[in-house]
Amino acid sequence: MAQTTPTRAHLDTVERASPLRVLTYAGAIVAFLIGSGFATGQEILQYYASYGYWGVFGTGALVLVLMTYVAVEFFVVGQAQRFEKPSMVFRYYCGKHLGTFFDFFSVLFVFLSFTVMVAGAGAVFEEHYGLSKHVGGIGLAAAVGITVWFGLRSLVDVIGKIGPLIVLIAVGLGVLGIVRNPGGIREGSALLPDLELTQAASNWFMSGLSYVGFCMLWLAAFLTALGRTARSRREAASGGALGGVVFSLACVVVGLGLLANIERVNGTEIPMLVLAGDVSPALAAGISVMILAGIYTTAIPLLWTVSSRFFADRTPRFKGLTLALAAVGTVIGLVLPFSQMVNIVYVVNGYVGILMLVLMLATTGLRLTGRRPLRAPEPAGPGR
């Protein structure tokens, strides 16, 4: 009886997902997304807490659904397609011409996001430590540049383990903010019309779409590249789903903590340090280290994504470009205040990301109806 060679699809079906690898993938997603905006609280303040109840729960529910979908989709497509270059994912969803636009636009946006990380590190050093923001910005860029020098494999090992710890600490701080002022959530919502808060959009729904939009442009190439390392579709989907859910729920908890203390955090560059400082100076000192770690874990894949778009990982040209980009990003990131950098870079690019989200949903719909396979048919071998 003739034996047939198992296809990749068959192997995907029979392989089990490694719990450790699923956790590592989820940790990498969470660590990538926490960055300076989440870890400092500035991002959550502008996208969630500034809209009150609807901002926290409405935006939270919208982000939970869409972010989980996006993470799973990028991971699964990356595992199935195994693109030669991660940036090819844009052509997969958007076609040749529009895909090329998104490819280059995302490179610019990801680089600008790296400059936001530099601004965030500078703000921590200036607002908490009383030092020049240049010390924090230059220090972060140097540390990230050296880490990216060693390539993507080391990135996953580093950020996949640090990310979950940082999220746990951030969520714990959000819970403390709620517990210490339980009536503050209701009071904060009532006070919002009288406060001059910086918001990401005109309403909570558009804020949620914009939030997912800019996160997508971050995640596209990075998760597609990670998807290639997944041993099965189930492993890829599980890692993406867990990462998306954990991050989305963390945003809701932190948003509630900030809303409960909205008067205290309004107008500050680092809202999370305000919550920590209300408990004790020692806690604030520890949280400042956590924030810097969160910025570091996000800045690494951002810088890697830009460099890898032009040169292969860990080649001499890749390393040279990485150091050059780190230097240029430092100069740009130290020009504007951190809160302005978040509002300009993230919000503008978030709206562009919404267009890609629509195209992704359309592609998924075609796949589900059988009009577009997840992967190209495999060539028939001998005896088949």
Side-chain angles (χ1 to χ4, degrees):
M1 185 175 181
Q3 292 186 339
T4 59
T5 303
T7 64
R8 285 189 303 171
H10 175 68
L11 290 174
D12 280 356
T13 301
V14 299
E15 278 192 57
R16 294 182 178 180
S18 164
L20 181 60
R21 290 172 69 89
V22 169
L23 288 173
T24 300
Y25 289 143
I29 293 173
V30 170
F32 192 8
L33 291 174
I34 55 177
S36 62
F38 176 91
T40 61
Q42 187 62 238
E43 183 180 296
I44 305 302
L45 182 62
Q46 293 188 25
Y47 281 89
Y48 288 79
S50 62
Y51 301 94
Y53 286 115
W54 275 108
V56 175
F57 295 109
T59 300
L62 184 63
V63 171
L64 173 64
V65 173
L66 294 179
M67 191 72 77
T68 303
Y69 159 73
V70 165
V72 170
E73 180 73 5
F74 281 143
F75 247 125
V76 169
V77 168
Q79 190 274 335
Q81 294 288 333
R82 301 186 183 278
F83 297 114
E84 182 180 348
K85 291 183 178 180
S87 59
M88 293 173 67
V89 69
F90 295 109
R91 290 197 178 194
Y92 174 83
Y93 288 114
C94 308
K96 180 180 179 181
H97 300 294
L98 197 54
T100 300
F101 163 77
F102 273 106
D103 181 6
F104 286 100
F105 180 84
S106 69
V107 171
L108 174 62
F109 167 55
V110 168
F111 174 68
L112 290 176
S113 297
F114 171 74
T115 69
V116 175
M117 301 303 119
V118 172
V124 173
F125 271 72
E126 188 173 50
E127 191 165 283
H128 182 70
Y129 297 112
L131 300 173
S132 169
K133 65 180 182 180
H134 294 85
V135 175
I138 294 171
L140 173 80
V144 171
I146 292 171
T147 305
V148 175
W149 178 283
F150 293 102
L152 181 61
R153 187 179 300 275
S154 63
L155 302 188
V156 178
D157 292 339
V158 171
I159 69 177
K161 294 176 176 60
I162 295 177
L165 176 61
I166 296 174
V167 168
L168 284 175
I169 295 173
V171 168
L173 192 56
V175 171
L176 272 177
I178 299 169
V179 171
R180 288 175 60 84
N181 189 19
I185 296 176
R186 183 180 65 257
E187 295 168 3
S189 294
L191 286 171
L192 286 177
D194 300 322
L195 300 177
E196 295 183 1
L197 290 162
T198 301
Q199 296 180 317
S202 58
N203 58 75
W204 66 267
F205 185 79
M206 291 306 299
S207 176
L209 287 180
S210 175
Y211 191 64
V212 174
F214 90 74
C215 286
M216 283 176 54
L217 295 180
W218 273 10
L219 292 171
F222 182 63
L223 290 193
T224 301
L226 282 188
R228 292 187 60 177
T229 67
R231 294 175 298 184
S232 68
R233 191 181 305 173
R234 180 181 175 187
E235 190 169 80
S238 299
L242 182 59
V245 169
V246 169
F247 176 74
S248 301
L249 293 179
C251 289
V252 171
V253 175
V254 174
L256 285 172
L258 293 175
L259 181 58
N261 299 271
I262 196 69
E263 278 192 294
R264 294 275 295 124
V265 301
N266 182 31
T268 63
E269 293 289 298
I270 317 291
M272 295 293 272
L273 284 179
V274 175
L275 297 187
D278 287 344
V279 179
S280 76
L283 179 60
I287 294 301
S288 69
V289 175
M290 178 210 76
I291 290 172
L292 290 173
I295 294 172
Y296 171 74
T297 59
T298 295
I300 291 170
L302 288 175
L303 187 58
W304 174 87
T305 297
V306 180
S307 295
S308 65
R309 171 60 184 81
F310 299 100
F311 301 112
D313 195 13
R314 290 189 286 188
T315 59
R317 288 185 176 183
F318 171 88
K319 294 179 179 180
L321 179 60
T322 294
L323 296 182
L325 289 172
V328 174
T330 302
V331 174
I332 297 174
L334 295 176
V335 173
L336 294 175
F338 172 55
S339 57
Q340 288 186 29
M341 290 286 287
V342 170
N343 193 256
I344 294 171
V345 175
Y346 288 1
V347 173
V348 170
N349 292 282
Y351 285 113
V352 177
I354 293 173
L355 174 58
M356 184 175 175
L357 175 62
V358 172
L359 295 172
M360 282 181 67
L361 290 168
T363 302
T364 303
L366 290 174
R367 236 180 24 234
L368 293 176
T369 57
R371 286 181 284 179
R372 182 170 184 178
L374 181 59
R375 58 162 65 100
E378 298 181 23
R384 292 177 63 187

